[in-house]
Amino acid sequence: SLASFCQSIRVLAQSSLKLLDLDISGVEKIGDKSMMLLAEVLEISRIKNLFLSFRSCRALSDAGVQAIVNALPSSVTLLKMDLGDCEISDASVDALSSQLQHMQHLGVIQVNLHGCKEVTETSISRFVGKLPWTLRGAKLDLSDTCLPKDIQRICRRLTTMRSWMPSKPQSQIKNPTSTNFVQLEPDEKVGLELQSVDLFLHRGVVQNVS
């Protein structure tokens, strides 16, 4: 069960766990209570690479997704979340938007919202508007949603999403003729330098890195 899994990795989460790949797609009995248990583990972890797939978990609601999102550790550099065909709405997207400001090391993010019919352009535009300029790659899968096709296309790549993002402060622009580079502070680090989230690889469930 997910509860047993959470108990088994709790100790690792506080120390050496750097990568977590959890795929419970299609498990209909997994709901918000299970997400609360997983959130407790994430909250105390120092995970850097986090892959979570809840695709087609019909019992999962906004409350469960919000619990997970609010517990995302600031140490994460690569985040992939699959919420495709879940019964969620703008509330889940807004929760993720708010959490982005606490994820200073995030370098790449991919979120799958395929088939989420209650997600609207309002929350998607807010999410895109809060993407940090330090990102190296980003992708939103909005296929089979109610959003217009042009919005779906824009959100497939970070470079096209830039047009929705707020104007970059002049102090952050390395080359005024290009918006693809940012000037980082000396002590600021981004975990990955991937140019596209299409480079994600399949990984094991848990990798313990000393």
Side-chain angles (χ1 to χ4, degrees), residues 57-78:
C57 291
R58 302 293 184 179
L60 182 61
S61 74
D62 287 319
V65 175
Q66 288 171 331
I68 292 296
V69 167
N70 292 336
L72 291 175
S74 60
S75 57
V76 171
T77 60
L78 189 156

Side-chain angles (χ1 to χ4, degrees), residues 194-207:
L194 297 181
Q195 296 301 312
S196 170
V197 288
D198 294 333
L199 298 177
F200 279 120
L201 302 176
H202 292 292
R203 304 172 187 270
V205 174
V206 175
Q207 177 177 322

Side-chain angles (χ1 to χ4, degrees), residues 108-127:
V108 178
I109 182 172
Q110 179 178 358
V111 181
N112 182 9
L113 296 171
H114 169 91
C116 297
K117 306 293 188 182
E118 299 300 317
V119 172
T120 71
E121 184 177 339
T122 301
S123 66
I124 295 300
S125 62
R126 283 195 292 260
F127 173 81

Side-chain angles (χ1 to χ4, degrees), residues 154-165:
I154 286 174
C155 292
R156 290 174 187 167
R157 294 172 60 88
L158 177 60
T159 51
T160 50
M161 281 192 278
R162 295 285 190 198
S163 61
W164 266 11
M165 296 169 72

Side-chain angles (χ1 to χ4, degrees), residues 35-36 38-40 42-44 50 52 62-74 79 81 91-103:
M35 293 302 102
M36 304 299 178
L38 179 58
E40 291 177 2
L42 292 177
E43 198 168 27
I44 62 173
L50 182 58
L52 299 173
D62 287 319
V65 175
Q66 288 171 331
I68 292 296
V69 167
N70 292 336
L72 291 175
S74 60
L79 174 64
M81 290 189 69
S92 292
V93 181
D94 285 335
L96 184 55
S97 300
S98 299
Q99 188 65 11
L100 285 175
Q101 63 183 324
H102 304 298
M103 304 179 72

Side-chain angles (χ1 to χ4, degrees), residues 29-195:
K29 293 184 179 181
I30 294 293
D32 296 338
K33 290 184 178 180
S34 298
M35 293 302 102
M36 304 299 178
L37 295 175
L38 179 58
E40 291 177 2
V41 173
L42 292 177
E43 198 168 27
I44 62 173
S45 76
R46 299 175 183 175
I47 294 171
K48 292 184 178 295
N49 300 325
L50 182 58
F51 303 80
L52 299 173
S53 181
F54 308 125
R55 188 182 184 90
S56 299
C57 291
R58 302 293 184 179
L60 182 61
S61 74
D62 287 319
V65 175
Q66 288 171 331
I68 292 296
V69 167
N70 292 336
L72 291 175
S74 60
S75 57
V76 171
T77 60
L78 189 156
L79 174 64
K80 181 179 180 181
M81 290 189 69
D82 188 347
L83 299 169
D85 296 313
C86 290
E87 302 294 331
I88 60 173
S89 68
D90 285 342
S92 292
V93 181
D94 285 335
L96 184 55
S97 300
S98 299
Q99 188 65 11
L100 285 175
Q101 63 183 324
H102 304 298
M103 304 179 72
Q104 302 92 338
H105 302 290
L106 187 63
V108 178
I109 182 172
Q110 179 178 358
V111 181
N112 182 9
L113 296 171
H114 169 91
C116 297
K117 306 293 188 182
E118 299 300 317
V119 172
T120 71
E121 184 177 339
T122 301
S123 66
I124 295 300
S125 62
R126 283 195 292 260
F127 173 81
V128 172
K130 292 187 178 181
L131 290 176
W133 282 98
T134 50
L135 281 181
R136 295 296 187 263
K139 180 179 181 180
L140 281 176
D141 184 346
L142 301 173
S143 57
D144 197 26
T145 63
C146 297
L147 278 80
K149 295 295 183 181
D150 58 336
I151 300 299
Q152 294 182 29
R153 286 192 294 270
I154 286 174
C155 292
R156 290 174 187 167
R157 294 172 60 88
L158 177 60
T159 51
T160 50
M161 281 192 278
R162 295 285 190 198
S163 61
W164 266 11
M165 296 169 72
S167 299
K168 185 188 300 184
Q170 194 66 27
S171 61
Q172 289 185 312
I173 299 178
K174 182 176 182 180
N175 180 356
T177 63
S178 173
T179 59
N180 292 327
F181 301 93
V182 295
Q183 183 67 49
L184 301 180
E185 296 298 328
D187 60 343
E188 187 175 0
K189 298 179 181 179
V190 176
L192 297 176
E193 295 184 354
L194 297 181
Q195 296 301 312

